Amino acid sequence: LRCGLKSLPGLTVFDKELCSSAAAVDLDPTKVTVNVRRLGLTGQQVEQYLRYEHNIQVELSDLYNVLFMVGPGNDDNDVEALLVGFNQLVARYREKKLVLPATTLPPLPRQIMTPREAFFAAAESVPLTDSLGRVSTETITCYPPGIPILCPGEEITAEIVDYIAIMINEGYQVQGPRDGGLTRLRVVRD
């Protein structure tokens, strides 16, 4: 599967060469991560394509990657079906140059209060765009990957608000805030 995917233009497959640093000592051979950014697609778009066009369920997708797990329940037919799906995807999209947001996780915010102090502090709900410089009383997590972007007691920065807007625009689920649409955010009352 890795070799077949690596031979397709526009895809990058995580492989053992990424394990040359002290941060990674080995690669789980049952997990295959494919970066699709050079196709001009998001991982979620590829997940939807494979699900609805080829009846293939991925393990996880994020802004630029899809993850597959291959184990004892899979056979050569499963691998071949996945390669056929990716071949058709690459043939359809390799000539398209879609512009994707250049997104990286925002820097870790400054901790102004302990999470407990912020959670129990007097709070008010303000528009997300008016929350800059304020202290959050809520946890904000986009799924996937499910890593908190903002926790109670942390200062809300422009980078965080921009990142949240991109993730919402790309269709990611926001979890944690009282306002599920995240038009408003609960902050410590001044």
Side-chain angles (χ1 to χ4, degrees):
L1 178 59
R2 278 182 212 283
C3 289
L5 291 171
K6 284 169 81 171
S7 71
L8 297 175
L11 302 179
T12 302
V13 181
F14 294 8
D15 211 344
K16 287 218 181 240
E17 63 265 10
L18 297 175
C19 298
S20 60
S21 70
V25 293
D26 206 353
L27 183 73
D28 183 343
T30 66
K31 295 181 180 176
V32 180
T33 303
V34 183
N35 183 291
V36 295
R37 185 176 189 164
R38 290 185 298 150
L39 291 179
L41 298 171
T42 67
Q44 285 189 315
Q45 289 171 321
V46 172
E47 176 183 1
Q48 297 296 312
Y49 170 82
L50 291 172
R51 178 182 298 147
Y52 295 114
E53 299 290 326
H54 294 278
N55 201 29
I56 295 170
Q57 180 62 44
V58 307
E59 181 67 21
L60 178 135
S61 65
D62 65 16
L63 198 53
Y64 300 118
N65 303 289
V66 287
L67 171 69
F68 303 94
M69 292 186 67
V70 181
N74 298 110
D75 60 21
D76 290 342
N77 292 331
D78 297 327
V79 171
E80 185 59 33
L82 187 54
L83 290 173
V84 166
F86 264 104
N87 270 291
Q88 290 177 8
L89 177 79
V90 167
R92 184 182 292 181
Y93 289 101
R94 75 170 154 196
E95 299 302 322
K96 297 189 179 193
K97 298 294 182 200
L98 301 177
V99 177
L100 294 175
T103 295
T104 58
L105 283 172
L108 289 175
R110 200 166 53 120
Q111 188 78 40
I112 305 296
M113 304 169 79
T114 68
R116 178 180 169 74
E117 289 169 336
F119 186 81
F120 289 112
E124 62 182 329
S125 179
V126 300
L128 181 62
T129 54
D130 293 344
S131 67
L132 296 178
R134 304 288 296 272
V135 177
S136 177
T137 66
E138 299 183 292
T139 299
I140 308 296
T141 303
C142 291
Y143 184 81
I147 300 168
I149 299 165
L150 189 63
C151 292
E154 293 179 335
E155 182 180 23
I156 302 161
T157 64
E159 293 89 357
I160 289 172
V161 171
D162 291 346
Y163 181 81
I164 290 169
I166 289 169
M167 298 305 278
I168 289 172
N169 188 53
E170 291 299 322
Y172 286 78
Q173 297 176 2
V174 176
Q175 298 177 351
R178 188 175 290 179
D179 173 9
L182 204 57
T183 57
R184 300 185 73 78
L185 182 63
R186 291 189 53 79
V187 297
V188 172
R189 186 175 295 145
D190 285 339

